[in-house]
Amino acid sequence: MAQFRAKTLDLSCYVNIKIIRDHTKRKVFEQYETERQALRYIIRNTTLPQRTRAQAQLQLSQMHAYTRLTQVNNRCILGGKSRGVFSDFRMARYPFRMSALAGDLPGVKKASW
């Protein structure tokens, strides 16, 4: 994990270590996404020799866990919560409600019917 973390971080925009870790995971996934896709294509391609496919599978399994999409969590950018997060706004339920009522989110208003 420390090998991927940026050497200098502006800590004023982060609430806690979980948000820093999530930011790191997103960056690493974005960096290695094309390489993972290429290896997965090689593994699935049945026209290639079995030895090449096995080597690609070994390389893919030895890549760091942070290069996988499943490691990325949706976290609230204000509080760091991982549950009840609206993915469009990257905010948890309560901060979303407070921001919407305050008028900080354009196009969002309280529903009435």
Side-chain angles (χ1 to χ4, degrees):
M1 179 173 89
Q3 66 189 8
F4 294 122
R5 190 172 299 141
K7 304 302 179 219
T8 58
L9 281 175
D10 179 24
L11 296 177
S12 63
C13 62
Y14 299 108
V15 176
N16 55 26
I17 189 68
K18 292 178 183 176
I19 296 177
I20 296 172
R21 193 176 299 136
D22 182 57
H23 178 74
T24 304
K25 288 178 182 181
R26 287 176 189 274
K27 284 257 200 196
V28 171
F29 170 72
E30 183 181 339
Q31 181 181 355
Y32 285 93
E33 182 180 14
T34 54
E35 185 178 343
R36 284 187 67 85
Q37 284 180 346
L39 288 172
R40 290 176 68 207
Y41 176 76
I42 291 171
I43 292 168
R44 288 195 196 120
N45 192 348
T46 57
T47 60
L48 292 175
Q50 186 64 29
R51 182 179 179 90
T52 307
R53 294 172 60 202
Q55 287 175 345
Q57 194 167 12
L58 185 64
Q59 281 181 331
L60 187 65
S61 66
Q62 289 178 344
M63 290 182 85
H64 196 274
Y66 281 10
T67 60
R68 295 186 211 124
L69 179 61
T70 56
Q71 294 291 315
V72 176
N73 252 350
N74 283 335
R75 288 201 170 269
C76 176
I77 56 175
L78 299 177
K81 289 183 64 164
S82 64
R83 294 184 175 205
V85 177
F86 292 108
S87 57
D88 293 340
F89 298 96
R90 289 186 64 193
M91 296 174 75
R93 293 185 309 257
Y94 190 70
F96 174 79
R97 184 174 190 270
M98 291 295 115
S99 297
L101 289 176
D104 296 336
L105 302 174
V108 177
K109 65 178 187 175
K110 187 171 164 117
S112 59
W113 60 92

